[in-house]
Amino acid sequence: MPVISAPHAFNEGQLFVDLRPIFGRSLYLKCEGFNFAGSIKLKAAVEMVEAAEREGLLSEDSVLIESSSGNLGVALSMIAASKGYRFLCVTDSRCNLSTRLLMEALGSEVHVIADLDANGGFLGARIDYVRGLCASDDRYVWLSQYTNPGNWGAHYRRTAPEIAREFPRLDVLFVGAGTTGTLMGCARWFREWHRPVRIVAVDTVGSVAFGGKPGRRMIPGLGMSMRPPLLDESYVDEVIQVEEADTIRACHRLARRGFLFGGSTGTVVSGAMEWLAAHDAQDLTAVAIAPDLGERYLDTIYQSTWLEDLYGDQILGATEAAARTRAAEPATRATEGHQKS
């Protein structure tokens, strides 16, 4: 039985879900949401804060500041509360309300950016705001997840070895691309492994991370409105871009089987299933990383009014029809059995 005194001391890293019963193709989903921060971002947050402490960048007067669409902000809020630091999260209007409230409940301040940057996203405006505060007050310490080597280093040291330990015959790994910290850490580790592993980055349509055309993105977590400074494409074998509508359908398909995951997971699973279908990969060992769980998305991707306003009333048509069919089958079989008896 683990006994801890700091919330970041617990992080379940060895839980995987076999998705074959749901999607009909073999894919093992590494669940990263079982910690007190609720996401994979806890690993990077711990790494970056502790590195700043070792380097003497933090004092009792310091105010941690970071640009985040949500999950890193929650992780830093939790760590700041535990260690006695102040924390300001600079986010934007796409950040889920529950996520903002969670950060505030942990004692953090949240500033919401409403203005778009030149690429039609919020990231540039968020970073400009952070830089302005840091220039005006030296108490602010910006960890800069977009450039901090601790972001990818956390996954090089922890996430990739956790996968390798459970799947020594791994063939392909699917990783969502945001800051690309998880992607780069895992890709670097597996490049040095004893067997080749195909690294497939999964991005969202509308992201410019890999040179795509900028477009509307309403689901936080994956995608960037600028090229990620941490990204080194020489470590990536393929890139798949997923439409947000497919992200939503994947999330709801998982939910219909009792697995409530976040939007990033829906994107990664949708992209992975597309790749596996195209490659007829029946004999491959495939793993995908699920960054978080779905409770923080209840007022967005799991809320019918939000979905219909943004994507139309047919967004879940096929999913709902399949769910109704599955729900009706047991009752039909039971009725038939009763009649035969």
Side-chain angles (χ1 to χ4, degrees):
M1 178 183 69
V3 177
I4 63 172
S5 58
H8 50 279
F10 172 77
N11 194 353
E12 173 57 59
Q14 298 299 141
L15 178 63
F16 295 79
V17 176
D18 182 359
L19 295 185
R20 183 186 286 276
I22 303 175
F23 290 91
R25 296 188 181 277
S26 182
L27 179 68
Y28 298 98
L29 191 61
K30 187 180 193 303
C31 301
E32 290 281 352
F34 291 98
N35 56 61
F36 284 99
S39 82
I40 196 171
K41 290 292 189 177
L42 177 60
K43 291 175 176 175
V46 170
E47 189 88 10
M48 292 189 295
V49 169
E50 292 185 348
E53 290 176 330
R54 289 192 301 270
E55 295 166 14
L57 299 177
L58 295 174
S59 69
E60 60 181 18
D61 296 326
S62 295
V63 182
L64 288 169
I65 186 170
E66 187 56 84
S67 160
S68 169
S69 61
N71 281 338
L72 182 68
V74 172
L76 288 173
S77 294
M78 187 188 78
I79 294 170
S82 175
K83 290 177 173 285
Y85 298 120
R86 292 173 58 197
F87 172 57
L88 169 61
C89 181
V90 180
T91 187
D92 59 65
S93 56
R94 294 174 307 168
C95 180
N96 299 323
L97 174 61
S98 58
T99 300
R100 299 202 300 267
L101 294 175
L102 180 53
M103 287 189 279
E104 291 171 347
L106 289 165
S108 296
E109 182 182 351
V110 180
H111 180 81
V112 180
I113 297 291
D115 296 327
L116 297 173
D117 59 28
N119 288 322
F122 294 97
L123 181 56
R126 282 174 13 200
I127 290 176
D128 286 345
Y129 186 85
V130 171
R131 284 176 173 154
L133 280 182
C134 291
S136 66
D137 190 334
D138 59 11
R139 290 177 303 167
Y140 286 102
V141 177
W142 182 23
L143 298 174
S144 185
Q145 62 167 323
Y146 311 105
T147 59
N148 194 318
N151 189 349
W152 68 262
H155 304 289
Y156 180 90
R157 283 182 276 278
R158 293 194 57 186
T159 307
E162 288 167 355
I163 295 169
R165 193 153 48 242
E166 297 297 323
F167 297 95
R169 302 295 296 174
L170 181 67
D171 294 301
V172 57
L173 177 64
F174 299 94
V175 188
T179 65
T180 67
T182 307
L183 175 65
M184 287 293 96
C186 290
R188 282 187 166 92
W189 196 90
F190 280 110
R191 178 67 63 87
E192 300 168 1
W193 206 30
H194 69 275
R195 59 181 274 116
V197 173
R198 194 159 193 82
I199 302 297
V200 180
V202 184
D203 198 9
T204 183
V205 171
S207 166
V208 304
F210 294 90
K213 183 179 179 181
R216 185 187 75 166
R217 293 182 293 114
M218 301 304 298
I219 301 173
L222 294 186
M224 294 274 279
S225 57
M226 69 178 191
R227 180 179 173 83
L230 295 177
L231 176 61
D232 182 343
E233 290 188 63
S234 69
Y235 288 96
V236 179
D237 295 298
E238 292 182 60
V239 179
I240 295 176
Q241 282 200 309
V242 174
E243 295 277 0
E244 286 192 334
D246 293 325
T247 291
I248 292 162
R249 294 185 187 106
C251 285
H252 280 258
R253 189 168 178 179
L254 287 161
R256 292 293 176 224
R257 300 297 291 272
F259 293 105
L260 196 71
F261 284 106
S264 300
T265 299
T267 303
V268 174
V269 169
S270 179
M273 289 301 166
E274 176 187 332
W275 189 95
L276 292 170
H279 291 77
D280 192 25
Q282 296 298 323
D283 298 324
L284 295 180
T285 298
V287 170
I289 297 176
D292 62 2
L293 301 178
E295 291 92 338
R296 295 173 193 170
Y297 301 81
L298 293 178
D299 58 349
T300 54
I301 63 176
Y302 294 107
Q303 212 281 329
S304 58
T305 302
W306 187 89
L307 290 177
E308 291 171 5
D309 286 347
L310 290 173
Y311 304 99
D313 58 7
Q314 297 301 310
I315 178 66
L316 293 179
T319 302
E320 295 296 341
R324 285 194 295 271
T325 299
R326 286 195 301 271
E329 284 175 353
T332 301
R333 287 196 295 268
T335 302
E336 289 173 350
H338 179 72
Q339 291 171 342
K340 289 176 182 177
S341 63

